[in-house]
Amino acid sequence: MTVPSLPVRLEAVIFDWAGTLVDFGSFAPTKVFVEAFAQFGMDVSLEQARGPMGMGKWDHIRTLCDEPAIASQYEAKFGHLPTDDDVTAIYERFLPMQLEKVAQYSAAIPGAVEVLNTLRDRGLKIGSCSGYPRSVMDRVIERAATEGIAPEYIVASDEVPRARPAPAMALKNVVELGLADVAGCVKVDDTAPGIEEGRRAGMWTVGLLLSGNAAGLTLEEYQHLDAAGRDAARTRANQELSGAAPHFLIDTVADLPAIISEIESRLAAGERP
């Protein structure tokens, strides 16, 4: 028996923060991870620190500590592999460093403010969620608001029982924004766990190739890339994000309005994510 598609209209876009709306290249968390591990005598590269990006920060550190190259350094220094208590100790060193530095890195990504205004003009609600805990998010929110970025709802990773790639933060947006259907939501993110979060929540997903963690470019580096350089960066980022199966891939949030129009057309035709 054929089940008719439920009528759905696009209601909301739910954004990640670092690498999506602010902090081009997602440098605030990665640089501080490197510094925090260094205080425990471990050499963690920026590339290694980027690996689990998108997760809650305690889970991010746990994942890094499970990497053989990092775990062996810890064992050589402390005589045992890192336990959850050791992870917590690193996290507790990381958190005040992150609080101190996060605002400095959290400038709005070019086009973000204009896109948020465009979406609101089209009658869409703006939600958001982050791998940052609330104490860090408060610093990011304060800085972002001075530049015109102020979503209607914000969820931090420590405000749900289980953060990314689980769907809880995305679904909390659905509840708090009073939305009718997850199929009327779009999740926009620069990391595989963030895209997977949206997929698990039953939403449309848009991955960002060049503004975030996957490419790892500063804004200046991005602006100075020639066509071949951008293609190479897109290929590299696509390899990282494709496993999460995003519905769409774009360079930065500035490219989002055209994707929103396509999603609206597909919903009108009876398609769901």
Side-chain angles (χ1 to χ4, degrees):
M1 182 179 69
T2 302
V3 179
S5 296
L6 296 172
V8 182
R9 65 176 181 84
L10 194 60
E11 295 182 84
V13 183
I14 299 167
F15 291 90
D16 174 49
W17 280 82
T20 299
L21 293 176
V22 302
D23 185 8
F24 199 104
S26 197
F27 282 95
T30 49
K31 287 188 175 181
V32 178
F33 278 128
V34 170
E35 294 172 15
F37 274 89
Q39 292 194 9
F40 286 80
M42 288 180 285
D43 182 17
V44 175
S45 70
L46 200 60
E47 183 178 359
Q48 285 174 312
R50 288 188 179 280
M53 194 62 66
M55 292 180 169
K57 300 313 175 195
W58 190 96
D59 292 327
H60 188 131
I61 294 170
R62 176 73 269 178
T63 301
L64 288 174
C65 284
D66 289 339
E67 289 190 14
I70 296 173
S72 62
Q73 290 185 60
Y74 195 94
E75 185 176 27
K77 185 168 181 64
F78 297 101
H80 63 272
L81 294 173
T83 66
D84 282 356
D85 287 342
D86 299 322
V87 170
T88 298
I90 298 171
Y91 176 80
E92 289 176 348
R93 190 72 59 88
F94 160 85
L95 189 57
M97 296 166 66
Q98 185 75 90
L99 284 166
E100 178 185 349
K101 297 190 176 186
V102 69
Q104 131 188 10
Y105 287 105
S106 295
I109 287 174
V113 174
E114 293 80 4
V115 166
L116 294 184
N117 290 337
T118 296
L119 298 179
R120 288 190 174 105
D121 288 344
R122 292 167 71 161
L124 300 177
K125 295 181 179 180
I126 308 298
S128 67
C129 51
S130 174
Y132 285 136
R134 172 53 67 170
S135 59
V136 175
M137 272 310 302
D138 286 342
R139 304 283 180 95
V140 177
I141 293 164
E142 183 179 3
R143 165 71 191 272
T146 67
E147 299 190 54
I149 294 178
E152 283 91 89
Y153 193 68
I154 301 164
V155 185
S157 63
D158 58 350
E159 295 178 321
V160 294
R162 188 174 179 181
R164 297 169 182 158
M169 288 196 292
L171 293 175
K172 191 168 173 61
N173 272 271
V174 173
V175 173
E176 298 298 335
L177 291 173
L179 307 180
D181 195 325
V182 292
C185 303
V186 182
K187 175 71 199 303
V188 184
D189 208 292
D190 67 301
T191 69
I195 293 166
E196 187 176 343
E197 169 193 28
R199 293 291 309 226
R200 290 185 179 197
M203 300 175 178
W204 300 93
T205 54
V206 181
L208 303 180
L209 292 169
L210 298 186
S211 68
N213 186 69
L217 298 167
T218 67
L219 178 58
E220 184 177 12
E221 288 169 340
Y222 165 75
Q223 290 172 333
H224 285 87
L225 285 177
D226 59 15
R230 290 198 181 197
D231 283 343
R234 288 186 189 106
T235 298
R236 184 171 68 250
N238 188 36
Q239 290 172 345
E240 182 171 327
L241 298 181
S242 60
H247 295 92
F248 303 92
L249 288 166
I250 56 178
D251 287 351
T252 79
V253 68
D255 304 314
L256 185 61
I259 299 300
I260 295 301
S261 296
E262 181 172 346
I263 291 172
E264 287 176 327
S265 295
R266 291 169 68 168
L267 284 171
E271 188 174 344
R272 294 176 68 89

